[in-house]
Structures are given as C-alpha cells and as structure tokens.
Amino acid sequence: MSVLDDIVAGVREDLAARQSEVSVADLRAQLADAPAPRDPMPHFRRPGSSVIAEVKRRSPSKGDLADIPDPAALATEYAAGGAAAISVLTEQRRFGGSLNDLRAVRAAVDTPILRKDFIVGDYQLLEARAAGADLVLLMASVLGDDDLRRLFDVATELGLTSLVEVHDEAETERAVALGAELIGVNARNLKTLAVDNDTFGRLAPLVPSDRVLVAESGISGPTDVKRFVAEGARVVLVGEALVKDGAPREAVAAMTGVEA
C-alpha cells in the first residue's frame, strides 16, 4: 500500500464516523448560515504571482512542522501579507488539521479559504461549504473519472471553486478535459513523497493558456516563485516555508507579485 492509499483509507474511516454523527440534512441546513462563497479567480488572474498560504502543522514527509495553537492568528498574518487565499489542512491523522481550524480561520479573515483535504465524497463538499470554505481540492490521483466529474459538478453547484490537482501527464489531460479553470501541479509524488521540481515545467505546456496554473510543493522563497512564474504559474501554494518562517506576513509579501 502506498502512502497515498494509506492516507485515503484513514480519510474514509474518519469520514464514516462524521457521517454517523451529522446527517446530510443537518449539513444542508447549516448552509443557510454559511457566508456567500468568495471567488478567488479575479485575484489569481492578476499580473504577478498570487499566493495561497497554508495553515499546516505537519506532513507525512517531514513530520511536525510547526506548533500552531491559533490558526486564526496565523491566517490573519497571511492576509495582512497579501495572501490571495488561505489553505487550511483539515485531514487529522497525517496533517494534524480539522474543520475547526477552518471555522476559526473563516471567522478571522475575509480572504478566500481552501479546504485542503483528500476529498472522496459529496459529504465533504457540504462540510467544506458549511464551515465557510470557498475552494476545495480535488485530486486526480485519488479520484477516477466519474467521481472527479461528479464532485467537480457538485462543488460548482455549491458555489465552490475546485482546485484540481495533478501529478503527471495523464492526470493533467484529465483535468483539462474536465474543464477545470484552476489546475494545481504538485511536484510531490504522494505515493512515494519524493519531490521533483521539474514536474511543473513538464506539465504546464499541456494546459491551455486560459486556465490558471498553481505550483505546489518545493517552494521555499521568491527565487522558486520566480522560476515557476516563468514556467507559467499564476499562483503558488506554500505551506512549510511559511509556517516555519518567523515572519509569515513578510514571507507572504515577498512571494506576492513576483514576475518572470
């Protein structure tokens, strides 16, 4: 079993437990109190780099990254630094996150929020919207064609923007055929955890110019951002480098607006 398979198996177990506690009807009732979805795309299409700054406590590849007792305070710093969106990891077993983190961040900032998780069912999309998320991650490596299409359509119906993540040529072709407007290229292979920073440059030419490309993983500072922008990225998603930096506001600002 690969690392990704193990993560998804745990996600499904935790999802089943939550479904036994909160019904779909109750989740849909919560949508009435959720704020209207925020559209991140106009900001993402601006000249220069946009930053999705991530609230990330730990990862399968690096273990514990940062002690984040107050995700809302960190998100406030990200927003002050000019983050175009804030990613909140909600997977608990491997990443130490939760939907409570997302709710806390939503209460603290007006910035669009991405629910970063391993989405495998409609229920998680309802959870995301009820908690105040504006974007969700859909991973082509996790979802077959039918599930990817269904979840993409359900997310759209809920007003959520889908970040469709790819790792190789076949997944990129699937994301393009899906009609995804926002496509993330993850340099980390979640089956092996290895990072190949050449992945983005190899896959970017397969994506039409009217789509918005997000570079994910392997970004430690403005030099990396400049490289990915030169290769076609409009957005960079950064987690580890920001949570380990003692000045997250300044770190986000340094990665924002970078041009090739």
Side-chain angles (χ1 to χ4, degrees), residues 83-139:
I86 295 172
S87 170
V88 181
L89 273 154
T90 59
E91 196 280 334
Q92 184 173 3
R93 297 191 185 200
R94 295 297 191 103
F95 293 89
S98 71
L99 281 166
N100 284 335
D101 286 347
L102 197 154
R103 295 184 187 101
V105 170
R106 174 76 293 154
V109 301
D110 290 327
T111 309
I113 296 176
L114 165 69
R115 181 185 184 181
K116 184 86 172 291
D117 209 320
F118 299 78
I119 304 293
V120 294
D122 301 20
Y123 188 90
Q124 291 162 292
L125 300 179
L126 292 170
E127 286 181 320
R129 186 80 281 281
D134 309 287
L135 305 91
V136 288
L137 181 71
L138 299 180
M139 301 173 64

Side-chain angles (χ1 to χ4, degrees), residues 8-28:
V8 172
V11 165
R12 290 186 183 279
E13 288 181 13
D14 294 341
L15 172 59
R18 295 197 305 277
Q19 286 177 308
S20 70
E21 296 173 357
V22 181
S23 70
V24 169
D26 287 341
L27 272 183
R28 289 195 175 277

Side-chain angles (χ1 to χ4, degrees), residues 48 226-227 229-231 258-260:
K226 187 177 182 68
R227 171 188 173 177
V229 170
E231 293 176 343
V258 175
E259 298 185 359

Side-chain angles (χ1 to χ4, degrees), residues 183-186 200 213-217 219 228 233 235-238:
I183 298 175
V185 177
N186 194 340
F200 187 91
L213 276 168
V214 183
E216 305 175 34
S217 297
I219 301 166
F228 289 122
V235 185
V236 292
L237 193 157
V238 189

Side-chain angles (χ1 to χ4, degrees), residues 39-259:
D39 183 2
M41 298 307 294
H43 196 304
F44 288 168
R45 292 187 179 280
R46 292 180 186 177
S49 57
S50 292
V51 176
I52 302 176
E54 192 156 83
V55 177
K56 184 177 186 179
R57 290 188 173 88
R58 64 176 184 258
S59 73
S61 60
K62 298 291 183 67
D64 290 338
L65 298 173
D67 180 26
I68 306 176
D70 188 351
L74 177 59
T76 299
E77 287 294 291
Y78 287 161
I86 295 172
S87 170
V88 181
L89 273 154
T90 59
E91 196 280 334
Q92 184 173 3
R93 297 191 185 200
R94 295 297 191 103
F95 293 89
S98 71
L99 281 166
N100 284 335
D101 286 347
L102 197 154
R103 295 184 187 101
V105 170
R106 174 76 293 154
V109 301
D110 290 327
T111 309
I113 296 176
L114 165 69
R115 181 185 184 181
K116 184 86 172 291
D117 209 320
F118 299 78
I119 304 293
V120 294
D122 301 20
Y123 188 90
Q124 291 162 292
L125 300 179
L126 292 170
E127 286 181 320
R129 186 80 281 281
D134 309 287
L135 305 91
V136 288
L137 181 71
L138 299 180
M139 301 173 64
S141 58
V142 170
L143 301 166
D145 285 343
D146 290 345
D147 286 338
L148 181 59
R149 165 57 67 185
R150 189 190 76 259
L151 292 171
F152 181 82
D153 289 344
V154 172
T156 301
E157 291 169 4
L158 291 170
L160 292 162
T161 299
S162 294
L163 169 58
V164 180
E165 181 179 283
V166 303
H167 299 79
D168 59 28
E169 287 79 0
E171 291 176 5
T172 304
E173 291 172 2
R174 291 172 59 207
V176 171
L178 182 69
E181 187 178 2
L182 188 64
I183 298 175
V185 177
N186 194 340
R188 185 180 303 281
N189 182 331
L190 289 177
K191 295 180 180 180
T192 65
L193 301 183
V195 173
D196 178 1
N197 282 334
D198 293 330
T199 301
F200 187 91
R202 188 175 73 250
L203 300 184
L206 303 178
V207 179
S209 60
D210 63 335
R211 316 294 177 92
V212 173
L213 276 168
V214 183
E216 305 175 34
S217 297
I219 301 166
S220 60
T223 299
D224 295 322
V225 175
K226 187 177 182 68
R227 171 188 173 177
F228 289 122
V229 170
E231 293 176 343
R234 303 293 289 272
V235 185
V236 292
L237 193 157
V238 189
E240 179 182 345
L242 295 180
V243 298
K244 295 174 72 172
D245 193 294
R249 180 188 306 200
E250 291 77 7
V252 169
M255 297 184 196
T256 298
V258 175
E259 298 185 359

